[in-house]
Amino acid sequence: MRLVIARCSVDYAGRLTAHLPSAPRLILVKADGSVSIHADDRAYKPLNWMSPPCTLKEGTGDDAGVWTVVNKAGEKLIITMEEVLHDSSHELGTDPGLIKDGVEAHLQELLADRIDTLGDGYTLIRREYMTAIGPVDILCRDASGATVAVEIKRRGEIDGVEQLTRYLELLNRDPHLAPVRGIFAAQEIKPQARVLANDRGMDCVVLDYNALRGIEDDKLRLF
Protein backbone atom coordinates (compact mmCIF):
# COMPACT_ATOMS: atom_id res chain seq x y z
CA MET A 1 0.00 0.00 0.00
CA ARG A 2 1.22 3.47 -0.89
CA LEU A 3 0.33 6.40 1.37
CA VAL A 4 0.65 9.91 -0.02
CA ILE A 5 -0.26 13.05 1.89
CA ALA A 6 -0.35 16.02 -0.43
CA ARG A 7 -1.94 19.36 -1.10
CA CYS A 8 -3.86 18.57 -4.24
CA SER A 9 -6.98 19.14 -6.32
CA VAL A 10 -8.99 16.27 -7.77
CA ASP A 11 -11.19 16.07 -10.86
CA TYR A 12 -13.44 13.17 -11.83
CA ALA A 13 -14.62 12.76 -15.41
CA GLY A 14 -17.06 9.98 -16.23
CA ARG A 15 -20.82 9.55 -16.06
CA LEU A 16 -20.75 12.71 -13.96
CA THR A 17 -18.11 15.34 -13.26
CA ALA A 18 -16.85 16.36 -9.83
CA HIS A 19 -14.17 18.70 -8.56
CA LEU A 20 -12.35 18.82 -5.23
CA PRO A 21 -10.54 22.15 -4.77
CA SER A 22 -7.00 22.36 -3.46
CA ALA A 23 -6.55 21.07 0.11
CA PRO A 24 -4.30 18.68 2.07
CA ARG A 25 -5.52 15.10 1.55
CA LEU A 26 -4.52 11.47 2.02
CA ILE A 27 -4.22 9.38 -1.14
CA LEU A 28 -4.29 5.58 -0.80
CA VAL A 29 -3.01 3.38 -3.61
CA LYS A 30 -3.69 -0.26 -2.80
CA ALA A 31 -2.16 -3.42 -4.22
CA ASP A 32 -5.44 -4.25 -5.99
CA GLY A 33 -4.99 -1.07 -8.06
CA SER A 34 -7.66 1.00 -6.33
CA VAL A 35 -7.02 4.67 -5.61
CA SER A 36 -8.97 6.64 -3.00
CA ILE A 37 -8.84 10.23 -1.77
CA HIS A 38 -9.48 10.94 1.91
CA ALA A 39 -9.99 13.98 4.12
CA ASP A 40 -9.51 14.05 7.88
CA ASP A 41 -13.16 13.27 8.57
CA ARG A 42 -16.00 11.11 7.14
CA ALA A 43 -14.73 8.02 9.00
CA TYR A 44 -13.74 5.38 6.42
CA LYS A 45 -15.54 6.88 3.42
CA PRO A 46 -13.32 8.52 0.76
CA LEU A 47 -14.07 11.83 -0.93
CA ASN A 48 -13.54 10.20 -4.30
CA TRP A 49 -12.11 6.92 -5.53
CA MET A 50 -11.51 4.60 -8.47
CA SER A 51 -12.20 0.92 -8.02
CA PRO A 52 -10.13 -1.79 -9.71
CA PRO A 53 -9.40 -2.74 -12.39
CA CYS A 54 -7.82 0.60 -13.18
CA THR A 55 -4.42 2.01 -14.13
CA LEU A 56 -2.44 4.84 -12.55
CA LYS A 57 -0.14 6.99 -14.66
CA GLU A 58 2.11 9.57 -13.00
CA GLY A 59 2.88 12.48 -15.27
CA THR A 60 6.37 13.56 -16.31
CA GLY A 61 7.83 16.71 -17.82
CA ASP A 62 5.17 19.38 -18.17
CA ASP A 63 2.67 17.01 -16.57
CA ALA A 64 4.84 16.22 -13.53
CA GLY A 65 2.73 16.06 -10.44
CA VAL A 66 -0.41 15.04 -12.31
CA TRP A 67 -1.77 11.55 -11.62
CA THR A 68 -4.32 10.12 -14.03
CA VAL A 69 -6.30 7.06 -12.95
CA VAL A 70 -8.40 5.37 -15.66
CA ASN A 71 -10.80 2.45 -15.21
CA LYS A 72 -12.02 -0.05 -17.81
CA ALA A 73 -15.02 2.16 -18.63
CA GLY A 74 -12.71 5.04 -19.55
CA GLU A 75 -13.65 7.15 -16.53
CA LYS A 76 -10.81 9.29 -15.19
CA LEU A 77 -9.69 10.51 -11.79
CA ILE A 78 -7.15 13.30 -12.23
CA ILE A 79 -5.11 14.28 -9.16
CA THR A 80 -3.05 17.44 -9.45
CA MET A 81 -0.32 17.58 -6.82
CA GLU A 82 0.78 20.99 -5.57
CA GLU A 83 2.92 19.86 -2.65
CA VAL A 84 3.76 16.34 -1.49
CA LEU A 85 4.10 16.21 2.29
CA HIS A 86 4.59 12.45 2.68
CA ASP A 87 5.07 9.49 0.34
CA SER A 88 5.69 5.96 1.61
CA SER A 89 4.96 2.38 0.58
CA HIS A 90 4.26 -0.55 2.89
CA GLU A 91 3.91 -4.28 2.16
CA LEU A 92 0.95 -5.50 4.20
CA GLY A 93 0.87 -9.06 2.87
CA THR A 94 -2.22 -11.25 2.69
CA ASP A 95 -4.91 -10.24 5.15
CA PRO A 96 -6.27 -13.12 7.26
CA GLY A 97 -9.76 -11.64 7.05
CA LEU A 98 -12.24 -10.80 9.76
CA ILE A 99 -12.25 -13.25 12.66
CA LYS A 100 -15.72 -13.91 13.97
CA ASP A 101 -16.42 -13.41 17.64
CA GLY A 102 -17.82 -16.30 19.66
CA VAL A 103 -21.45 -15.43 18.99
CA GLU A 104 -20.96 -15.11 15.21
CA ALA A 105 -19.02 -18.37 15.05
CA HIS A 106 -21.73 -20.15 17.02
CA LEU A 107 -24.46 -18.63 14.84
CA GLN A 108 -22.66 -19.97 11.79
CA GLU A 109 -22.44 -23.44 13.32
CA LEU A 110 -26.09 -23.46 14.39
CA LEU A 111 -27.39 -22.13 11.08
CA ALA A 112 -25.35 -24.65 9.09
CA ASP A 113 -26.80 -27.40 11.25
CA ARG A 114 -30.33 -26.07 10.76
CA ILE A 115 -30.03 -24.64 7.25
CA ASP A 116 -33.78 -24.98 6.70
CA THR A 117 -34.11 -21.97 9.01
CA LEU A 118 -33.53 -19.98 5.79
CA GLY A 119 -36.45 -21.69 4.07
CA ASP A 120 -37.89 -25.06 3.10
CA GLY A 121 -35.71 -27.10 0.78
CA TYR A 122 -32.38 -25.43 1.60
CA THR A 123 -29.36 -27.73 1.63
CA LEU A 124 -25.84 -27.04 2.88
CA ILE A 125 -22.88 -27.11 0.49
CA ARG A 126 -20.33 -26.21 3.15
CA ARG A 127 -19.35 -23.80 5.89
CA GLU A 128 -16.36 -21.48 5.44
CA TYR A 129 -16.35 -21.81 1.64
CA MET A 130 -12.97 -20.37 0.66
CA THR A 131 -12.57 -17.66 -1.95
CA ALA A 132 -9.55 -15.63 -3.02
CA ILE A 133 -10.49 -12.88 -0.55
CA GLY A 134 -11.57 -15.03 2.38
CA PRO A 135 -14.16 -17.60 3.42
CA VAL A 136 -17.88 -17.24 2.82
CA ASP A 137 -19.67 -18.13 6.07
CA ILE A 138 -22.13 -20.55 4.47
CA LEU A 139 -22.63 -21.70 0.90
CA CYS A 140 -25.89 -23.54 0.29
CA ARG A 141 -28.62 -24.23 -2.27
CA ASP A 142 -32.24 -23.18 -2.11
CA ALA A 143 -35.24 -25.32 -3.01
CA SER A 144 -34.78 -24.57 -6.71
CA GLY A 145 -31.14 -25.68 -6.61
CA ALA A 146 -29.75 -22.15 -6.97
CA THR A 147 -26.54 -21.31 -5.09
CA VAL A 148 -26.83 -18.99 -2.10
CA ALA A 149 -24.00 -17.29 -0.17
CA VAL A 150 -24.78 -16.38 3.44
CA GLU A 151 -22.86 -13.74 5.40
CA ILE A 152 -23.49 -13.91 9.17
CA LYS A 153 -23.04 -11.05 11.61
CA ARG A 154 -24.01 -10.41 15.19
CA ARG A 155 -24.92 -6.86 14.20
CA GLY A 156 -25.63 -6.31 10.52
CA GLU A 157 -24.16 -3.04 9.25
CA ILE A 158 -23.16 -1.63 5.87
CA ASP A 159 -19.63 -3.10 6.09
CA GLY A 160 -21.13 -6.59 6.20
CA VAL A 161 -23.20 -5.91 3.08
CA GLU A 162 -20.07 -4.67 1.29
CA GLN A 163 -18.24 -7.83 2.34
CA LEU A 164 -21.00 -10.06 0.97
CA THR A 165 -21.03 -7.99 -2.24
CA ARG A 166 -17.33 -8.74 -2.80
CA TYR A 167 -17.90 -12.46 -2.22
CA LEU A 168 -20.81 -12.52 -4.67
CA GLU A 169 -18.74 -10.80 -7.35
CA LEU A 170 -16.14 -13.58 -7.12
CA LEU A 171 -18.56 -16.49 -6.76
CA ASN A 172 -20.56 -15.41 -9.79
CA ARG A 173 -17.44 -15.75 -11.93
CA ASP A 174 -17.49 -19.51 -11.27
CA PRO A 175 -19.69 -21.16 -13.93
CA HIS A 176 -20.22 -24.17 -11.64
CA LEU A 177 -21.86 -21.94 -9.01
CA ALA A 178 -23.39 -19.01 -10.91
CA PRO A 179 -25.85 -17.49 -10.56
CA VAL A 180 -25.21 -16.94 -6.85
CA ARG A 181 -27.48 -14.74 -4.74
CA GLY A 182 -26.81 -13.47 -1.25
CA ILE A 183 -28.44 -13.62 2.16
CA PHE A 184 -27.34 -11.18 4.85
CA ALA A 185 -28.12 -12.78 8.21
CA ALA A 186 -27.68 -11.18 11.62
CA GLN A 187 -29.23 -10.92 15.06
CA GLU A 188 -29.88 -7.24 14.34
CA ILE A 189 -29.80 -5.52 10.95
CA LYS A 190 -29.41 -1.75 10.80
CA PRO A 191 -31.96 0.02 8.57
CA GLN A 192 -29.26 1.46 6.28
CA ALA A 193 -27.71 -1.98 5.84
CA ARG A 194 -31.11 -3.49 5.00
CA VAL A 195 -31.77 -0.81 2.38
CA LEU A 196 -28.36 -1.37 0.76
CA ALA A 197 -28.71 -5.16 0.83
CA ASN A 198 -32.16 -5.06 -0.75
CA ASP A 199 -30.94 -2.59 -3.37
CA ARG A 200 -28.25 -5.12 -4.33
CA GLY A 201 -30.72 -7.98 -4.58
CA MET A 202 -29.82 -9.62 -1.27
CA ASP A 203 -32.30 -11.06 1.20
CA CYS A 204 -32.06 -10.11 4.88
CA VAL A 205 -32.72 -12.63 7.64
CA VAL A 206 -32.84 -11.78 11.34
CA LEU A 207 -31.51 -14.67 13.42
CA ASP A 208 -32.81 -15.44 16.91
CA TYR A 209 -29.71 -16.70 18.69
CA ASN A 210 -31.59 -17.98 21.72
CA ALA A 211 -34.13 -19.80 19.56
CA LEU A 212 -31.35 -21.46 17.57
CA ARG A 213 -29.63 -22.47 20.77
CA GLY A 214 -32.90 -23.88 22.02
CA ILE A 215 -33.28 -25.94 18.85
CA GLU A 216 -29.77 -27.23 19.40
CA ASP A 217 -30.49 -28.08 23.06
CA ASP A 218 -33.67 -29.96 22.14
CA LYS A 219 -31.76 -31.90 19.53
CA LEU A 220 -29.04 -32.85 22.00
CA ARG A 221 -31.54 -34.03 24.58
CA LEU A 222 -32.83 -36.61 22.10
CA PHE A 223 -29.55 -38.52 22.36
Side-chain angles (χ1 to χ4, degrees):
M1 178 182 291
R2 184 178 178 186
L3 308 176
V4 178
I5 299 175
R7 178 173 291 278
C8 63
S9 60
V10 183
D11 291 279
Y12 170 79
R15 290 164 293 179
L16 302 171
T17 59
H19 174 71
L20 294 173
S22 176
R25 297 189 176 93
L26 168 65
I27 304 166
L28 296 183
V29 183
K30 294 187 177 181
D32 63 3
S34 63
V35 178
S36 56
I37 318 295
H38 298 260
D40 199 12
D41 63 2
R42 298 165 60 92
Y44 63 89
K45 188 174 181 180
L47 297 166
N48 214 326
W49 67 94
M50 192 69 81
S51 300
C54 56
T55 58
L56 167 60
K57 180 181 178 181
E58 298 185 41
T60 59
D62 293 340
D63 291 328
V66 178
W67 291 12
T68 303
V69 188
V70 184
N71 67 10
K72 63 180 181 180
E75 298 168 320
K76 294 182 179 180
L77 192 65
I78 301 170
I79 307 167
T80 304
M81 308 286 190
E82 298 172 13
E83 181 184 7
V84 176
L85 306 173
H86 175 86
D87 189 347
S88 64
S89 296
H90 307 270
E91 180 58 55
L92 301 185
T94 303
D95 192 90
L98 183 67
I99 298 175
K100 302 283 184 184
D101 66 20
V103 173
E104 289 181 2
H106 200 202
L107 278 170
Q108 182 193 112
E109 180 182 350
L110 289 170
L111 188 57
D113 190 46
R114 295 287 183 173
I115 198 66
D116 56 357
T117 300
L118 299 176
D120 293 337
Y122 274 71
T123 56
L124 179 69
I125 296 176
R126 66 167 297 165
R127 290 171 52 196
E128 299 286 331
Y129 185 90
M130 187 56 65
T131 73
I133 59 173
V136 177
D137 287 336
I138 290 178
L139 197 69
C140 57
R141 296 192 187 279
D142 63 18
S144 69
T147 311
V148 181
V150 185
E151 179 63 25
I152 299 171
K153 298 293 183 187
R154 184 164 54 88
R155 176 178 296 174
E157 299 184 354
I158 285 176
D159 284 356
V161 178
E162 296 287 3
Q163 186 178 0
L164 180 54
T165 299
R166 293 192 293 270
Y167 288 144
L168 290 172
E169 287 176 354
L170 282 178
L171 292 170
N172 274 298
R173 297 176 192 173
D174 186 339
H176 299 292
L177 297 175
V180 185
R181 64 182 180 88
I183 291 180
F184 189 52
Q187 288 179 274
E188 173 192 1
I189 300 177
K190 296 294 184 180
Q192 300 93 331
R194 183 181 293 275
V195 170
L196 181 61
N198 291 338
D199 183 67
R200 295 182 177 179
M202 303 172 188
D203 293 330
C204 292
V205 174
V206 176
L207 300 174
D208 187 329
Y209 182 49
N210 291 329
L212 285 173
R213 290 180 66 189
I215 291 171
E216 181 192 49
D217 292 340
D218 290 341
K219 179 184 175 184
L220 290 173
R221 281 196 290 271
L222 292 174
F223 294 91

